[in-house]
Amino acid sequence: MMMAAARKSPNWFAIGVTAAAVVVVLVIAGVVWFANSQATSPGTVPESSAVNAETGAISIGSGDQTVDTYVDFMCPICNSFEQAYGPTLQQLADEGTITLNIHPISILDAQSQGTQYSTRAANAAYCVAVDDPANVPAFVTAMYAQQPREQTAGLDDATLATIAKDAGASDAVASCIDDGTYTRFVTAMTRETPSQTGSGIATPTIAINGTVLVNQTDLTGDPQKDIVDRLNG
């Protein structure tokens, strides 16, 4: 009669190592997922009746038709657009013809010597909108009046807070600006900027009733032709 072969004891060390490896993989996967979610999360969303949490638009006026402007406060062409078209857009909003949706975005952070001026300026715009949206037009006008040149450090947070308060914002806006409360929201909304045909994301980007214009062909410097006639057409 043959004796049964001795049963081998399980290699608990090997099992333990394998289990530990699985845990490490799961932890790494969790870290990667968290990092990715943090990178794409909008962070703190501005809570204001004038801010669309889905699109990032700061709305001025309540007209049935819409004009959306996607602007970077360091963009010199955005400043030129503001000088040429801003008064007409404000008038159209004031008289109830349009809702003007301003999207402060940040595509020129690399032009501010590492200070991320575009993001900080856009964050400041949301801080003003949350404090009191009625002060947004004056803030935007003042920001362009004091626009820094590209390849400079841009305005510091204290200056942004001063501009905001001079536009009518309360003292509370300073801490919002200093803390960069809506920085991640700015980044998330910038990714949602519609592309212009043949040129990708650019500033300014203008959409009339949802139709995105092409800067090179649709913006001639004449607000009557480029904006008003399209609204009436």
Side-chain angles (χ1 to χ4, degrees), residues 177-233:
I177 292 172
D178 288 340
D179 294 342
T181 302
Y182 306 114
T183 294
R184 283 170 55 192
F185 186 76
V186 170
T187 301
M189 294 301 103
T190 298
R191 288 194 294 266
E192 301 303 317
T193 304
S195 297
Q196 296 184 40
T197 303
S199 62
I201 293 177
T203 53
T205 287
I206 313 302
I208 297 179
N209 292 326
T211 299
V212 178
L213 305 186
V214 178
N215 290 358
Q216 290 84 348
T217 57
D218 294 330
L219 296 181
T220 66
D222 182 349
Q224 177 67 40
K225 174 185 175 182
D226 302 340
I227 304 295
V228 178
D229 289 352
R230 280 188 168 87
L231 291 168
N232 293 335

Side-chain angles (χ1 to χ4, degrees), residues 1 3 9 25 35 41 43 61-62 67 109 111 116 118 144 171 196 198:
M1 180 177 177
M3 295 181 60
S9 299
V25 170
S41 168
S62 57
V67 176
D109 275 341
Q111 305 297 317
Q116 295 188 309
S118 295
Y144 285 124
D171 291 340
Q196 296 184 40

Side-chain angles (χ1 to χ4, degrees), residues 6-97:
R7 182 184 300 173
K8 290 185 177 181
S9 299
N11 189 332
W12 295 112
F13 174 77
I15 293 174
V17 169
T18 302
V22 171
V23 171
V24 170
V25 170
L26 290 175
V27 169
I28 291 174
V31 170
V32 170
W33 173 85
F34 179 75
N36 289 338
S37 66
Q38 289 293 95
T40 59
S41 168
T44 302
V45 176
E47 294 185 4
S48 168
S49 59
V51 177
N52 185 318
E54 299 297 323
T55 68
I58 302 173
S59 297
I60 297 171
S62 57
D64 292 336
Q65 301 197 75
T66 60
V67 176
D68 288 74
T69 64
Y70 298 78
V71 296
D72 185 313
F73 286 114
M74 190 168 241
C75 163
I77 301 176
C78 295
N79 198 336
S80 297
F81 176 85
E82 173 67 17
Q83 304 314 313
Y85 297 87
T88 297
L89 292 174
Q90 187 64 53
Q91 179 181 345
L92 290 169
D94 289 342
E95 66 188 24
T97 300

